[in-house]
């Protein structure tokens, strides 16, 4: 079996599995907010996890608010920066890139519909990167009117790494809060929050080999945050609800493997590049999304025009290989994803797109095995010619 949907959810990495088996066998289990000894032991474990996470992302423990994952974190930040503030501040503009995850897009649209903000979509270059020059123009055109800019660090479909540091600098220059969805970036590339000019960033356990349902917000200044889930004062009153402390410990274990995995990440990128070159040798018409931009090392988003991505997905699945397509199916007619459309990818290419995402826990011969299967799928499906 080859699992090639790391950008969807990565499997638990071995270090996390080993840790959890022991941890679940031996405890302690308690409410980390209780003042008795067992509660305090759990709290110490959780605070240790916070310190480890902070160190691994170049932040301080006080910058981290643990939560259930990135969707929650993004919702909290949008709420904190936008809710009820349009009239008081006179800032009614929200700038987002055209390739954001729905967690960002839907928040922006919500505040547009509910509170009268105006959402402006920053154009995307054909290479999959947000057009920073257009952003700079927008920032100067709407000086003093921009409530926030939200651009991700790496795209979940293409793996294209965004010029987030430059975007951060432009936002800092215009004193605009910069919200950066780092969900796909943290753990897959070196990241330093302090040096990034980002005001708010996000991490999710299930993208980095830890557990789903656990994550955190990184906030440069937690005073700018408001609780979105109101409750018993946990997380310095910024996120109510008893903490998923074992989930946070698992994130810390996964993060502690980052520095050892740098070498593996380089190998993964080299094997991805060989994989793509080998397909192109057989099929020169192959389209690699974001090929001309820096990309996450484990992600390939490729299309062989004329062959439906979903047909390829099914063929691979029959060989126990699990990939995804980005295309939504309407009336049996796959359509091009929003991300690819923003990049200007036409339907004849977009319909064929298949995302293959591996990670540092994948077997070393992962790409080789997928290559064999993919080439035979392409050969077979080329005879039929899907569209
Ligand atoms: C770029 C990006 N942002 C946000 C999310 C949402 O993360 P979570 O599943 O932790 O809520 C995802 C997950 O698919 C993602 O890829």
């Amino acid at each position: 079996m080859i699992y090639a949907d790391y950008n969807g959810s990565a499997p638990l990495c071995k270090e996390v599995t080993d840790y959890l088996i022991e941890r679940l066998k031996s405890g302690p289990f308690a409410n980390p907010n209780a003042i008795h000894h067992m509660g305090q032991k759990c709290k110490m474990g959780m605070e240790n996890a916070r310190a480890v996470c902070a160190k691994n992302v170049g932040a301080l423990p006080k910058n981290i608010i643990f939560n259930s994952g990135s969707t929650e974190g993004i919702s909290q930040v949008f709420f904190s920066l936008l809710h009820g503030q349009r009239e008081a501040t006179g800032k009614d503009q929200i700038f987002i890139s055209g390739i954001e995850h729905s967690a960002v897009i839907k928040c922006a649209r919500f505040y547009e519909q509910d509170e009268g903000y105006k959402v402006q979509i920053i154009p995307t270059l054909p290479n999959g990167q947000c057009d920073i020059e257009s952003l700079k123009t927008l920032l100067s055109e709407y000086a003093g009117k921009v409530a926030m800019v939200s651009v991700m660090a790496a795209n979940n479909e293409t793996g294209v790494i965004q010029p987030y540091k430059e975007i951060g600098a432009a936002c800092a220059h215009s004193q605009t809060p910069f919200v950066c969805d780092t969900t796909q970036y943290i753990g897959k590339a070196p990241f330093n929050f302090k040096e990034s000019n980002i005001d708010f960033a996000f991490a999710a356990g299930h993208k980095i080999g830890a557990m789903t349902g656990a994550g955190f917000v990184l906030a440069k200044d937690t005073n700018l945050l408001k609780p979105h889930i109101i409750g018993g004062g946990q997380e310095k009153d910024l996120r109510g609800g008893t903490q998923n402390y074992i989930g946070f410990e698992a994130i810390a274990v996964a993060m502690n493997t980052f520095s050892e995995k740098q070498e593996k990440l380089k190998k993964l990128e080299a094997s991805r590049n060989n994989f793509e070159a080998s397909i192109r040798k057989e099929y020169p018409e192959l389209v690699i999304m974001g090929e001309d931009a820096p990309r996450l090392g484990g992600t390939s988003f490729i299309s062989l025009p004329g062959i439906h991505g979903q047909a390829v997905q099914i063929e691979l699945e029959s060989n126990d290989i699990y990939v995804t397509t980005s295309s939504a199916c309407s009336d049996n007619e796959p359509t091009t994803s929003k991300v690819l459309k923003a990049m200007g990818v036409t339907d004849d290419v977009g319909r064929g797109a298949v995302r293959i995402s591996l990670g540092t826990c994948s077997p070393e011969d992962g790409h080789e095995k997928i290559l064999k299967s993919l080439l035979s799928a392409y050969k077979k499906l080329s005879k039929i010619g899907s569209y």
Side-chain angles (χ1 to χ4, degrees):
M1 193 271 277
I2 306 280
Y3 181 80
D5 186 21
Y6 271 65
N7 290 9
S9 269
L12 289 193
C13 65
K14 186 183 174 311
E15 293 84 347
V16 172
T17 310
D18 292 348
Y19 176 81
L20 285 176
I21 289 170
E22 270 318 302
R23 177 70 179 81
L24 293 173
K25 268 198 235 160
S26 55
F29 304 106
N31 189 318
N33 310 293
I35 55 168
H36 53 64
H37 180 61
M38 296 308 282
Q40 290 305 296
K41 267 184 110 168
C42 289
K43 184 171 183 182
M44 266 171 58
M46 186 172 77
E47 292 313 319
N48 182 45
R50 197 186 309 273
V52 169
C53 291
K55 186 163 174 263
N56 274 286
V57 296
L60 295 171
K62 68 172 185 185
N63 300 124
I64 289 188
I65 299 99
F66 282 129
N67 62 16
S68 70
S70 294
T71 303
E72 183 190 324
I74 291 164
S75 285
Q76 180 182 16
V77 168
F78 270 70
F79 171 76
S80 303
L81 296 180
L82 302 175
H83 177 57
Q85 297 183 49
R86 187 176 61 84
E87 279 182 14
T89 60
K91 296 184 179 185
D92 66 349
Q93 300 290 316
I94 303 170
F95 295 170
I96 66 171
S97 84
I99 54 164
E100 292 303 296
H101 189 270
S102 50
V104 165
I105 301 169
K106 291 203 173 167
C107 271
R109 295 294 178 202
F110 175 86
Y111 287 100
E112 182 174 56
Q113 273 154 32
D114 239 55
E115 301 200 20
Y117 285 92
K118 292 198 179 62
V119 177
Q120 307 254 15
I121 306 294
I122 309 156
T124 307
L125 299 169
N127 73 357
Q129 286 188 310
C130 167
D131 181 5
I132 182 151
E133 293 312 318
S134 297
L135 171 62
K136 283 182 184 165
T137 307
L138 278 169
L139 282 171
S140 73
E141 203 175 314
Y142 289 92
K145 296 288 224 182
V146 190
M148 65 185 288
V149 169
S150 190
V151 179
M152 63 197 343
N155 182 262
N156 42 303
E157 291 185 18
T158 60
V160 169
I161 296 171
Q162 303 300 313
Y164 69 89
K165 286 188 191 164
E166 291 89 325
I167 293 172
C171 289
H173 182 70
S174 66
Q175 296 180 322
T176 308
F178 176 36
V179 180
C180 184
D181 180 358
T182 47
T183 312
Q184 293 288 348
Y185 191 75
I186 287 182
K188 296 178 185 170
F191 177 69
N192 188 301
F193 183 61
K194 206 170 158 203
E195 291 168 7
S196 68
N197 267 319
I198 295 172
D199 291 290
F200 299 98
F202 311 91
H206 71 117
K207 304 291 187 194
I208 60 169
M211 288 197 294
T212 189
F216 58 81
V217 175
L218 276 168
K220 198 190 268 181
D221 179 1
T222 51
N223 291 321
L224 297 177
L225 278 179
K226 293 179 187 152
H228 200 34
I229 296 179
I230 299 158
Q234 293 90 348
E235 298 295 295
K236 298 207 177 111
D237 228 354
L238 289 174
R239 200 274 184 178
T242 304
Q243 297 93 332
N244 177 4
Y245 55 97
I246 298 182
F248 307 147
E249 290 170 30
I251 296 180
V253 174
M255 288 203 158
N256 254 343
T257 67
F258 287 177
S259 49
E260 298 154 29
K261 285 185 176 157
Q262 293 311 310
E263 220 25 63
K264 269 194 163 179
L265 280 172
K266 278 190 203 141
K267 277 194 189 159
L268 186 65
E269 183 163 3
S271 105
R272 190 271 317 266
N273 293 345
N274 287 337
F275 164 76
E276 291 177 348
S278 306
I279 314 170
R280 177 155 288 150
K281 214 163 140 201
E282 292 290 319
Y283 295 98
E285 68 273 38
L286 184 82
V287 178
I288 302 170
M289 316 296 168
E291 188 179 14
D292 300 331
R295 281 181 293 153
L296 297 174
T299 305
S300 282
F301 198 23
I302 53 175
S303 167
L304 195 59
I307 300 196
H308 273 162
Q310 281 155 351
V312 178
Q313 181 182 11
I314 292 165
E315 279 294 320
L316 293 181
E317 185 149 354
S318 69
N319 289 322
D320 222 10
I321 294 172
Y322 301 92
V323 301
T324 55
T325 63
S326 75
S327 47
C329 216
S330 67
D331 298 333
N332 255 346
E333 192 55 51
T335 54
T336 307
S337 78
K338 285 199 272 311
V339 170
L340 295 184
K341 278 194 174 146
M343 291 165 66
V345 172
T346 51
D347 274 346
D348 58 326
V349 174
R351 280 183 203 153
V354 175
R355 181 183 72 181
I356 294 152
S357 55
L358 295 180
T360 48
C361 302
S362 301
E364 280 197 9
D365 61 352
H367 279 120
E368 242 171 79
K369 288 195 168 135
I370 299 170
L371 176 68
K372 216 167 139 225
S373 216
L374 187 66
L375 287 179
S376 93
Y378 278 161
K379 197 169 166 196
K380 186 169 161 189
L381 295 166
S382 300
K383 285 187 196 146
I384 308 165
S386 317
Y387 62 88

